[in-house]
Amino acid sequence: MTSSGPAPYSLTFPQCRRRCPLPPPPPPPPHLSLWVRWALRQCVWLWIGGQVAQVAQVSASHQHFHPHSIKIPGDITLGGLFPIHSRGPHGLPCGELKKEKGIHRMEAMLYALDQINGDPELLPNITLGARILDTCSRDTYALEQSLTFVQALIQKDTSDIRCSNGEPPVVRKPERVVGVIGASASSVSIMVANILRLFEIPQVSYASTAPELSDNNRYDFFSRVVPPDSYQAQAMLDIVRALGWNYVSTLASEGNYGESGVDAFMQISREAGGVCIAQSVKIPREPTAGEFDKIIKRLMETSNARGVIIFANEDDIKRVLEAAKRANLTGHFLFVGSDSWGAKSSPITELEDVAEGAVTILPKRASIDGFDQYFMSRSLENNRRNIWFNEFWEDDFRCKLTRPGIKLDPDRRKCTGEERIGRDSSYEQEGKVQFVIDAVYAVAYALHSMHLDLCPSSTGVCSNMDPVEGRLLLDYIRAVHFNGSAGTSVLFNENGDAPGRYDIFQFQMTNHSHPGYHVIGQWTNNLRLNLDEMQWSGGDKWVPDSICSLPCRPGERKKMVKGVPCCWHCELCDGYQYQLDEFTCETCPPNMRPAPNRTTCRPTPIIKLEWNSPWALVPASLALLGILATSAVMITFIRFNDTPIVRASGRELSYVLLTGIFLIYLITFLMIAEPGAVACAFRRLLLGLGMAITYSAMLTKTNRIYRIFEQGKRSVSPPKFISPTSQLIITFILISVQVLGVFVWFGVVPPHTIIDYEELRPPNPDLARGILKCDMSDLSIICCLSYSIVLMVTCTVYAVKSRGVPETFNEAKPIGFTMYTTCIIWLAFVPIFFGTAKSTEKMFIQTATLTVSMSLSAFVSLGMLYMPKVYVIICHPEQNVQKRKKSFKAVAQAARVSTSQRSLSEKQNGETKIEPDRSQ
């Protein structure tokens, strides 16, 4: 199989200063993406041509302090990118040595290569070599270094170069790198991946977790044995929700890792809902003095957001904790750290009290015993292949190696070479060692499968694998599935990501014999968190709050703060409202009122006017007294029916009038009785009937008297319809109008009961009551009484007109006094009845007012019309004798005499008034 690698590139050495001719472009490709890739590749080659010399010069300038690379020969060469040194200060590319992240991880690759090359079953008769570079934790520097991996793809044109003896130069062909292990930081991996994909070199990272690298369109040759931060962000969100937090801040180091991690967390939290971001703070790449104090101050602007999601490097984590301690906020912030914090001790050294309770996450890992034995056995003598090992030795044992021409530092002791790792210095396996080993094995297994398919009968590298085609190797890498160094399966999805498997730690100081990080849960697509194992500042077991607003109490609804869905104000469902859901208050139905906690509605109690109520006792007592008095009068009249006084009072109309008074008293008991269909029917009938009977009889009497004396003024012939029979007929005609109106009412609206929930519905719903009553509104009551009031007023008018009747004909005067008093009573009734419309005891007051007013008017009629007669009948029977019967002619004569005397009296009064005028 022939390689489909890139076209060769002709390049002269820089000192020749000749233009670099590009190869002619290929014919128009069938796909635009291929054309774009060819154009990009040409641009990169031009850029590489200008950088190769610079790389050589930069590498040479730092060779004395930081040697360029480790070269391990082999049949197939793998590239390696490790942060052997930290970022250099003041423009220098490299800084201090990184023992764990740099040396441990790089030695893990060497250890894996030794294991693979020593395994007769894996890649038999094929030796893996390596070219390992130092990224110095800087993406731009790593990019320059990684150009080493593509040099084999560049064909240098040396045809016009001759040595001093005239012979052509001997140029060593660089080894071809088939795959790259690394890098560590996501920003470095992104920068390098952009170059490696153009030359189709697969890349497998052991630590880069930025979600951006999951984009298979942009980083199609990138894979990783660690899960992306999108899984990590999901796990951290699940932790936040399991702790009951809904209001947190985020803190990220500037760069791909921190920013993309926080972006992933924020995006997932928005999609899932229930968690809001109070502050999203970025730590600058080059922070100024006081920058971290400002960050803490900003986080305190939303002090309720105690939870802080932190995606930051170790140095930034440490400086955040230091700033929190300076601000005297120990124990306030509740950190949830990403895998960059993990279970590392360096960020929290001497800051344990501030970090107490911090929850951190780390890809599920295990300590590799074989690597521990390998690394602790390394010495200056047996590890000369590691060109940075001498520097590590000096740093780890705090000694100084002697070198020719370099003066020994008097403040540091001389290294003897007899020191041993783990015995004379502390040692703890770095957390990503497992993943470095798995990354190397992933490429090895892919090469093994490729060898089996392409070289089935060959014991070494056959022509089909020389060179190794990058895209084909990528397919084999994506297809591997094996048990890794820790016993967990290693595989990749379609984007080159490993499955998400995390251990969850919490840094605890109290209640443990060994303060430090303790495993409290795991996350593998879902969270398993042991809350009972967690403890917080001071050993407290209760999970602290990190919420914007406290939960609303029962009966309170949430009024959301605009733009912040996790913040709200609690508003009480007042009045007759209850809490329908957490955001809504709904008014209870008319027949219900809210429960005490306002979470539901309960039936409103139903009441009626009870007999033992003062509002019923007083009217009932008056009515009972009136009934007894009316009965006594009626019995007396019946007993003395034929006596002159009874006959003179008009027996027929008197019995009708007394019946009406009796019914007026009786209606009181119907108004107090429990409402029902029958009771309501009798209320309608008798409420106005008693008064209609009473005042119809009175009106008939006063009308008769008035007509008699008016007729007597003009003629000696009597007026019509003054006989007792006529009087009864007139009375019953007047009464029938009231009865007819009531029966029409029955037909239009049949009598029934209602429960009025609006009448007794005060602001305090606990006092609300439903009132059982007849279907008679205030207006209907007035309408029912209106006819009686018309009769009353008409009767009063006739009583006024009949005031001049002679003393001997005095029956009209008691009726007049009765009507005057009755009008006063009912004039007082109207404001009392309607003035209590808004009272909480409206029904009771109105019922009592109505019944008492009717009883008083009945008492007035009974007392003024019949009590004097009963008194004479009972106490002075001698006065109850027959007098001479007057004919109508005598009555007419008396009327004319009365009229003449009244005219003479008025004339004399007028003359008296003008006498003083004449005397003047």
Side-chain angles (χ1 to χ4, degrees):
M1 181 179 290
T2 60
S3 173
S4 61
Y9 170 75
S10 297
L11 174 67
T12 60
F13 287 98
Q15 58 268 31
C16 297
R17 302 187 183 278
R18 294 189 55 184
R19 188 177 301 273
C20 302
L22 290 173
H31 301 290
L32 181 61
S33 60
L34 296 177
W35 179 267
V36 171
R37 173 165 289 191
W38 175 86
L40 287 174
R41 187 176 296 168
Q42 309 312 314
C43 294
V44 171
W45 283 337
L46 286 174
W47 180 77
I48 290 174
Q51 293 293 321
V52 169
Q54 296 180 25
V55 171
Q57 293 172 4
V58 170
S59 301
S61 64
H62 294 281
Q63 183 74 21
H64 182 72
F65 299 102
H66 305 296
H68 179 61
S69 65
I70 293 177
K71 173 66 175 72
I72 298 177
D75 299 320
I76 298 175
T77 302
L78 302 181
L81 292 172
F82 295 92
I84 305 297
H85 295 89
S86 63
R87 182 194 304 265
H90 308 298
L92 295 176
C94 301
E96 297 178 350
L97 182 78
K98 300 179 76 169
K99 294 192 297 182
E100 289 81 10
K101 280 191 172 183
I103 298 300
H104 283 206
R105 294 179 181 180
M106 188 271 294
E107 286 287 351
M109 181 174 179
L110 298 179
Y111 166 77
L113 291 175
D114 292 345
Q115 296 294 309
I116 293 168
N117 290 332
D119 187 349
E121 301 296 329
L122 183 59
L123 292 175
N125 298 316
I126 297 177
T127 303
L128 289 182
R131 169 71 74 173
I132 300 176
L133 304 175
D134 181 9
T135 65
C136 289
S137 307
R138 187 186 295 270
D139 49 4
T140 54
Y141 182 78
L143 177 62
E144 295 173 353
Q145 294 295 297
S146 63
L147 296 178
T148 304
F149 299 144
V150 301
Q151 287 181 5
L153 301 176
I154 303 171
Q155 180 179 350
K156 299 177 179 62
D157 184 7
T158 60
S159 59
D160 57 349
I161 300 177
R162 292 292 182 267
C163 296
S164 57
N165 58 4
E167 296 181 359
V170 178
V171 181
R172 186 184 65 178
K173 183 178 180 181
E175 73 279 0
R176 184 186 180 97
V177 173
V178 300
V180 174
I181 307 299
S184 178
S186 295
S187 58
V188 174
S189 289
I190 289 172
M191 189 72 80
V192 172
N194 284 316
I195 292 295
L196 297 183
R197 70 185 293 265
L198 294 176
F199 295 92
E200 298 185 345
I201 300 177
Q203 177 184 0
V204 182
S205 175
Y206 49 83
S208 297
T209 57
E212 182 181 353
L213 290 164
S214 297
D215 187 349
N216 202 38
N217 293 322
R218 295 178 58 191
Y219 307 104
D220 47 343
F221 279 81
F222 178 85
S223 305
R224 49 188 163 190
V225 292
V226 288
D229 285 339
S230 55
Y231 294 159
Q232 185 174 196
Q234 181 65 61
M236 296 171 80
L237 178 62
D238 290 347
I239 292 171
V240 167
R241 299 176 73 172
L243 295 175
W245 299 348
N246 69 358
Y247 197 51
V248 296
S249 296
T250 62
L251 192 57
S253 293
E254 185 177 3
N256 290 98
Y257 172 77
E259 295 180 50
S260 59
V262 164
D263 289 344
F265 180 85
M266 294 175 66
Q267 180 180 351
I268 294 172
S269 64
R270 279 194 301 267
E271 293 172 354
V275 176
C276 299
I277 308 302
Q279 299 272 359
S280 187
V281 184
K282 185 189 300 183
I283 302 172
R285 199 182 297 269
E286 301 291 343
T288 59
E291 184 70 37
F292 288 90
D293 295 324
K294 294 178 183 177
I295 289 173
I296 293 298
K297 186 176 180 180
R298 182 176 172 187
L299 291 175
M300 285 302 295
E301 291 176 1
T302 51
S303 57
N304 283 355
R306 297 178 62 189
V308 178
I309 311 302
I310 183 166
F311 281 83
N313 57 53
E314 295 178 38
D315 293 337
D316 288 345
I317 293 170
K318 188 176 186 67
R319 285 184 280 187
V320 167
L321 297 179
E322 290 172 344
K325 189 168 187 176
R326 284 195 301 271
N328 198 26
L329 292 173
T330 298
H332 175 79
F333 292 113
L334 313 169
F335 294 101
V336 179
S338 63
D339 61 346
S340 61
W341 185 334
K344 299 185 182 74
S345 58
S346 56
I348 63 172
T349 303
E350 299 180 356
L351 297 166
E352 290 83 358
D353 54 342
V354 186
E356 184 178 8
V359 178
T360 60
I361 190 170
L362 200 60
K364 198 169 187 64
R365 63 179 187 178
S367 182
I368 310 302
D369 295 336
F371 177 78
D372 288 340
Q373 298 172 7
Y374 161 81
F375 191 75
M376 288 191 290
S377 66
R378 298 298 90 190
S379 65
L380 296 173
E381 290 77 18
N382 62 15
N383 200 22
R384 296 185 183 278
R385 64 181 177 179
N386 184 348
I387 60 177
W388 296 290
F389 197 70
N390 286 355
E391 188 178 355
F392 166 80
W393 195 269
E394 291 179 328
D395 187 82
D396 196 44
F397 296 107
R398 302 179 186 276
C399 63
K400 193 69 176 179
L401 292 171
T402 58
R403 295 187 183 91
I406 298 179
K407 186 177 180 181
L408 185 65
D409 187 351
D411 296 333
R412 303 187 69 175
R413 67 179 181 85
K414 181 181 178 181
C415 299
T416 64
E418 300 299 324
E419 297 90 355
R420 288 295 176 264
I421 299 172
R423 185 192 70 184
D424 302 314
S425 65
S426 61
Y427 166 74
E428 183 180 358
Q429 188 179 125
E430 201 275 333
K432 294 292 195 300
V433 163
Q434 166 197 340
F435 300 107
V436 175
I437 297 172
D438 289 344
V440 177
Y441 265 90
V443 178
Y445 277 111
L447 289 169
H448 183 78
S449 299
M450 179 186 283
H451 183 265
L452 291 178
D453 293 340
L454 302 183
C455 309
S457 60
S458 175
T459 58
V461 178
C462 67
S463 59
N464 289 338
M465 289 183 63
D466 188 16
V468 174
E469 184 183 350
R471 183 165 292 279
L472 183 60
L473 177 60
L474 175 66
D475 294 337
Y476 279 99
I477 290 175
R478 295 286 175 86
V480 298
H481 189 177
F482 63 95
N483 288 329
S485 56
T488 56
S489 59
V490 177
L491 67 158
F492 304 97
N493 64 12
E494 66 276 6
N495 295 323
D497 295 329
R501 290 187 291 258
Y502 296 97
D503 283 324
I504 301 168
F505 298 86
Q506 187 182 40
F507 183 74
Q508 301 174 356
M509 291 181 61
T510 56
N511 300 335
H512 284 281
S513 57
H514 300 288
Y517 293 97
H518 295 266
V519 177
I520 57 170
Q522 292 83 34
W523 190 92
T524 307
N525 295 326
N526 56 74
L527 178 67
R528 295 186 299 277
L529 189 65
N530 189 349
L531 293 174
D532 295 334
E533 292 293 324
M534 301 183 72
Q535 61 183 17
W536 307 88
S537 181
D540 191 4
K541 288 285 188 178
W542 188 260
V543 179
D545 290 329
S546 182
I547 56 178
C548 181
S549 302
L550 292 173
C552 292
R553 292 175 294 182
E556 294 180 340
R557 75 177 185 94
K558 294 179 180 178
K559 184 178 181 182
M560 306 306 298
V561 176
K562 187 176 181 181
V564 189
C566 298
C567 299
W568 57 80
H569 302 297
C570 295
E571 287 188 350
L572 179 66
C573 297
D574 56 357
Y576 287 82
Q577 294 181 326
Y578 73 101
Q579 184 183 2
L580 179 65
D581 53 46
E582 60 178 336
F583 302 106
T584 310
C585 289
E586 195 73 33
T587 302
C588 288
N591 62 335
M592 306 188 82
R593 58 178 180 167
N597 62 2
R598 294 184 176 272
T599 57
T600 185
C601 292
R602 53 178 175 161
T604 301
I606 300 173
I607 62 170
K608 59 183 180 61
L609 185 59
E610 300 293 343
W611 290 102
N612 57 359
S613 168
W615 300 107
L617 287 175
V618 173
S621 299
L622 289 175
L624 182 61
L625 182 61
I627 288 174
L628 293 176
T630 303
S631 300
V633 172
M634 192 170 290
I635 291 171
T636 301
F637 266 55
I638 294 173
R639 171 68 179 80
F640 298 97
N641 183 58
D642 292 327
T643 61
I645 290 180
V646 174
R647 289 200 306 268
S649 63
R651 287 176 296 182
E652 296 80 5
L653 285 181
S654 291
Y655 290 134
V656 172
L657 196 149
L658 287 172
T659 301
I661 292 174
F662 184 87
L663 293 179
I664 290 175
Y665 289 125
L666 185 63
I667 192 62
T668 296
F669 298 97
L670 290 173
M671 296 296 289
I672 297 174
E674 181 174 350
V678 175
C680 291
F682 277 104
R683 280 190 191 183
R684 287 191 189 182
L685 180 64
L686 300 182
L687 180 61
L689 182 62
M691 294 182 65
I693 293 173
T694 301
Y695 297 118
S696 293
M698 285 189 188
L699 176 60
T700 303
K701 278 193 173 189
T702 54
N703 176 264
R704 176 177 175 271
I705 294 170
Y706 174 76
R707 286 189 297 113
I708 288 174
F709 281 92
E710 285 296 316
Q711 180 70 18
K713 295 176 185 178
R714 298 187 297 270
S715 171
V716 293
S717 59
K720 298 179 180 180
F721 309 119
I722 60 173
S723 65
T725 303
S726 299
Q727 297 296 296
L728 288 175
I729 292 172
I730 293 172
T731 300
F732 284 120
I733 290 174
L734 293 175
I735 293 171
S736 64
V737 175
Q738 174 73 25
V739 175
L740 181 62
V742 170
F743 278 98
V744 170
W745 188 9
F746 282 163
V748 175
V749 182
H752 62 279
T753 59
I754 62 169
I755 301 175
D756 190 347
Y757 293 98
E758 296 299 327
E759 184 172 312
L760 196 53
R761 199 172 176 88
N764 184 359
D766 291 336
L767 302 178
R769 298 292 184 270
I771 300 176
L772 177 64
K773 62 181 183 179
C774 293
D775 185 23
M776 295 175 66
S777 64
D778 295 348
L779 181 61
S780 63
I781 291 176
I782 296 301
C783 290
C784 190
L785 296 175
S786 61
Y787 180 67
S788 300
I789 293 173
V790 170
L791 293 175
M792 186 193 309
V793 172
T794 306
C795 186
T796 304
V797 170
Y798 276 110
V800 172
K801 288 185 175 183
S802 303
R803 67 185 184 279
V805 175
E807 295 276 339
T808 54
F809 300 94
N810 60 356
E811 191 176 16
K813 291 187 178 180
I815 294 176
F817 287 122
T818 298
M819 298 317 300
Y820 305 151
T821 307
T822 302
C823 287
I824 293 172
I825 291 173
W826 285 98
L827 286 175
F829 159 79
V830 172
I832 295 174
F833 186 86
F834 290 100
T836 58
K838 295 184 180 297
S839 173
T840 56
E841 296 183 324
K842 169 189 170 183
M843 186 198 75
F844 305 146
I845 296 175
Q846 289 185 342
T847 301
T849 302
L850 176 62
T851 53
V852 168
S853 297
M854 295 180 71
S855 295
L856 289 177
S857 62
F859 273 120
V860 169
S861 301
L862 188 66
M864 290 194 173
L865 294 178
Y866 294 103
M867 283 305 174
K869 294 179 175 62
V870 172
Y871 174 76
V872 171
I873 293 172
I874 300 300
C875 298
H876 297 281
E878 70 278 3
Q879 297 180 10
N880 189 11
V881 295
Q882 181 72 37
K883 295 183 181 180
R884 186 172 63 89
K885 187 175 181 179
K886 295 182 177 69
S887 65
F888 179 77
K889 184 181 293 186
V891 172
Q893 181 64 32
R896 286 194 292 271
V897 170
S898 176
T899 302
S900 299
Q901 290 177 349
R902 187 166 60 250
S903 300
L904 179 62
S905 176
E906 291 175 355
K907 182 178 180 181
Q908 290 176 347
N909 290 335
E911 291 175 353
T912 303
K913 291 177 183 178
I914 64 173
E915 274 184 359
D917 296 331
R918 287 198 303 267
S919 63
Q920 293 176 355

